């Protein structure tokens, strides 16, 4: 018989387990002083060793008539207790006692499984099996699920960051740099996976409400299937499945808030209450955008009224109340316009049109001098413009012959320029120009969704995005 050797037995079990295929089974049968114990080992879908054991005592195996009375029945009972898997399997027989019943049972098992290894051990086989399973080298690489963002589009891609290669043993460590965004309801998930062809298989999932920022994380392989992360707040088990995790992933990161130039052109002719309402809407938009963008916001403010075609009535030209200032100065200038109220009312000022074309000329001229910086042009009013020459509208031509069509075309062709409008009239009743001035967003004066309009015009800070996985820090 082989000589007793704990290390030899442990090594034999470890070698058999290491060579075990994904669909194979290893049967270790211990024949000890108190009976027969069978250990059935296999690998799960992640290549992790798994096992079960079934003990059977000698009284259980002897039956009601005892070993000597019915040896054939006792032999069958021992073979059944061994539970050797019917598919091709490795079998190891471990003799852990010199008890006559143990020796006799071992002889029966050897005869039934002549290819089995036979070893002697003076240590409990259960402890050896646990040690071998705990120290089993990885048969598949372990990866941490991370996100990569395309630097140009912000589009997110799910990928894996290698933690431990094949052959890694417990105690192996690796460092990884991660970046987290605002935590969602479940926090940020640290998902460890293996790969089965093109699809990942979830191995372990933990999460924590990590504050936005960069983290240096150490991953330690505790045992197959168990990875410990340090350098983070306490992690908790996360019971979401893979489909839930992937389903909560947005398509892309939101764009970063950048400098914005809001140019407000407000019509200040007509009834006092209507002018006050227009100026109030401009105030709301400036205030809201300032709250969203802070120091990144620059504001310009222009006021335009009606043309006078009577030499006895003064012409009130377009007033540039503020240009490229901070929101506070622009709101102060707006306050002066609110105190002044309507500039022109009725005769001899043109009752059906406004200097809208002059305001557009002032805006395009000043933006042209500012270079290619992006701008949001928000026009607030309701009257149509004056045509550059006499036409069917019967509106008198602009004294300066400004052509609103050409001016709008210049604005629309200017890179980075966004056009929005708040019109006195509903969309179906507004002059064609107001639809062009509101090419990106057109709102009705009496029902303005300030937040929605600002968002449409790009005057809001990006919403916090909740990512289920951390971003890989590309500077590592």
């Amino acid at each position: 018989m082989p000589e007793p050797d704990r290390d030899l037995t442990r090594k034999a079990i470890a070698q058999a387990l290491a060579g075990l295929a994904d669909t194979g089974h290893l049967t270790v049968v211990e024949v000890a002083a108190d009976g027969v114990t069978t250990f059935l080992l296999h690998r799960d879908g992640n290549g992790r060793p798994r096992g079960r054991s079934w003990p059977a005592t000698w009284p259980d195996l002897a039956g009601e008539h005892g070993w000597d009375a019915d040896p054939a029945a006792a032999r069958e009972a021992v073979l059944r207790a061994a539970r050797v898997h019917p598919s091709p399997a490795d079998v190891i027989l471990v003799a852990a006692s010199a008890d006559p019943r143990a020796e006799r049972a071992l002889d029966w098992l050897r005869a039934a499984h002549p290819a089995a290894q036979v070893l002697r051990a003076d240590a409990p086989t259960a402890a050896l099996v646990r040690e071998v399973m705990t120290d089993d080298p990885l048969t598949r690489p372990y990866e941490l699920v991370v996100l990569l963002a395309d630097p140009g589009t912000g589009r997110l891609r799910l990928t894996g960051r290698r933690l431990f290669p094949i052959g890694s043993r417990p105690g192996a460590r690796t460092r990884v740099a991660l970046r987290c965004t605002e935590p969602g309801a479940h926090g940020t998930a640290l998902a460890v996976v293996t790969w089965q062809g093109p699809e990942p298989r979830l191995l372990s999932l933990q999460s924590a409400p990590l504050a936005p920022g960069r983290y240096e994380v150490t991953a330690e392989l505790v045992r197959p299937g168990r990875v410990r992360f340090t350098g983070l707040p306490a992690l908790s088990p996360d019971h979401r499945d893979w489909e839930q995790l992937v389903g909560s992933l947005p398509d892309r990161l939101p764009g970063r808030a950048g400098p914005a130039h809001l140019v407000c052109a407000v019509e200040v002719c007509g009834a006092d209450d209507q002018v006050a309402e227009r100026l109030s809407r401009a105030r709301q938009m400036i205030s809201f955008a300032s709250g969203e963008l802070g120091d990144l916001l620059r504001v310009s403010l222009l006021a335009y009224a009606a043309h006078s075609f009577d030499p006895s009535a003064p012409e009130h030209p377009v007033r540039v109340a503020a240009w490229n200032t901070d929101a506070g100065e622009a709101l102060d200038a707006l306050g002066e316009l609110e105190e002044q109220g309507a500039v022109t009312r009725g005769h001899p000022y043109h009752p059906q049109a406004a200097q809208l074309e002059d305001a557009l000329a002032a805006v395009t001229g000043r933006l042209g001098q500012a270079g290619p910086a992006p701008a949001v042009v928000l026009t607030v009013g309701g009257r149509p413009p004056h045509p550059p020459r006499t036409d069917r509208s019967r509106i008198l031509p602009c004294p300066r012959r400004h052509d609103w069509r050409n001016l709008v075309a210049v604005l629309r062709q200017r890179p980075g320029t966004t056009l929005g409008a708040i019109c006195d009239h509903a969309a179906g009743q507004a002059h064609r120009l107001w639809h062009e001035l509101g090419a990106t967003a057109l709102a009705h004066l009496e029902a303005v969704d300030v937040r929605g309009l600002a968002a449409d015009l790009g005057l809001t800070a990006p919403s916090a995005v909740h990512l289920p996985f951390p971003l890989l820090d590309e500077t590592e």
Side-chain angles (χ1 to χ4, degrees), residues 400-415:
R400 296 173 181 82
R401 297 298 186 263
H402 288 139
D403 189 335
W404 62 265
R405 294 177 181 84
N406 293 339
L407 294 167
V408 171
V410 170
L411 286 176
R412 298 190 69 165
Q413 293 170 9
R414 184 177 183 273

Side-chain angles (χ1 to χ4, degrees), residues 258-266 279 281-303 319-335 337 363 366-367 370 373-380 459:
H261 183 188
L262 172 60
V263 180
C264 292
V266 185
L279 292 170
R281 293 303 190 186
R283 176 176 291 278
Q284 291 171 7
M285 288 296 296
I286 295 171
S287 299
F288 183 83
S290 175
E292 289 285 301
L293 302 179
D295 293 340
L296 295 175
L297 180 69
R298 304 296 291 175
V299 182
S300 295
L301 178 64
L302 297 87
R319 177 182 175 185
V320 179
W323 188 263
N324 200 22
T325 66
D326 61 39
E329 291 185 25
L331 289 173
D332 288 343
L334 183 60
L337 295 178
V363 171
R366 286 183 174 253
L367 287 180
V376 175
V377 179
L378 177 67
T379 310
V380 186
L459 294 172

Side-chain angles (χ1 to χ4, degrees), residues 20 30 240 269 281 324 340 362 403 406 425:
L20 197 61
E30 178 192 53
R240 288 176 290 174
C269 58
R281 293 303 190 186
N324 200 22
Q340 182 180 16
D403 189 335
N406 293 339
H425 311 291

Side-chain angles (χ1 to χ4, degrees), residues 210-443:
L210 304 179
R214 186 178 186 274
Y215 294 85
E216 287 281 350
V217 181
T218 298
E220 178 187 359
L221 181 60
V222 178
R223 61 176 182 273
R226 172 84 164 90
V227 177
R228 178 189 296 127
F229 293 97
T230 55
L232 296 171
L235 293 162
S236 303
D238 192 323
H239 301 293
R240 288 176 290 174
D241 59 27
W242 183 252
E243 287 72 21
Q244 282 181 290
L245 286 165
V246 175
S248 63
L249 181 65
D251 289 335
R252 64 184 69 234
L253 290 175
R256 295 179 181 178
H261 183 188
L262 172 60
V263 180
C264 292
V266 185
E267 181 184 319
V268 290
C269 58
D272 283 328
D273 58 348
Q274 193 168 39
V275 171
E277 181 69 9
R278 294 173 192 146
L279 292 170
S280 174
R281 293 303 190 186
R283 176 176 291 278
Q284 291 171 7
M285 288 296 296
I286 295 171
S287 299
F288 183 83
S290 175
E292 289 285 301
L293 302 179
D295 293 340
L296 295 175
L297 180 69
R298 304 296 291 175
V299 182
S300 295
L301 178 64
L302 297 87
Y304 66 93
H307 277 303
S308 170
F309 294 90
D310 185 336
S312 65
E315 173 88 7
H316 294 274
V318 174
R319 177 182 175 185
V320 179
W323 188 263
N324 200 22
T325 66
D326 61 39
E329 291 185 25
L331 289 173
D332 288 343
L334 183 60
E336 295 178 9
L337 295 178
E338 289 171 329
E339 290 181 8
Q340 182 180 16
V343 173
T344 59
R345 307 176 187 83
H347 184 79
Y349 298 98
H350 201 293
Q352 298 173 332
Q355 304 163 326
L356 185 48
E357 72 286 350
D358 286 15
L360 292 175
V363 171
T364 55
R366 286 183 174 253
L367 287 180
Q369 297 173 4
V376 175
V377 179
L378 177 67
T379 310
V380 186
R383 293 188 184 188
H386 289 267
R389 62 191 61 83
T390 302
D391 62 15
R392 295 179 182 179
S393 68
R394 296 185 180 181
I395 295 174
L396 293 175
C398 173
R400 296 173 181 82
R401 297 298 186 263
H402 288 139
D403 189 335
W404 62 265
R405 294 177 181 84
N406 293 339
L407 294 167
V408 171
V410 170
L411 286 176
R412 298 190 69 165
Q413 293 170 9
R414 184 177 183 273
T417 300
T418 303
L419 299 181
I422 300 175
C423 185
D424 295 351
H425 311 291
Q429 300 172 338
H431 184 272
R432 168 191 163 191
L433 173 59
W434 286 97
H435 290 273
E436 297 199 31
L437 292 177
T440 299
L442 176 61

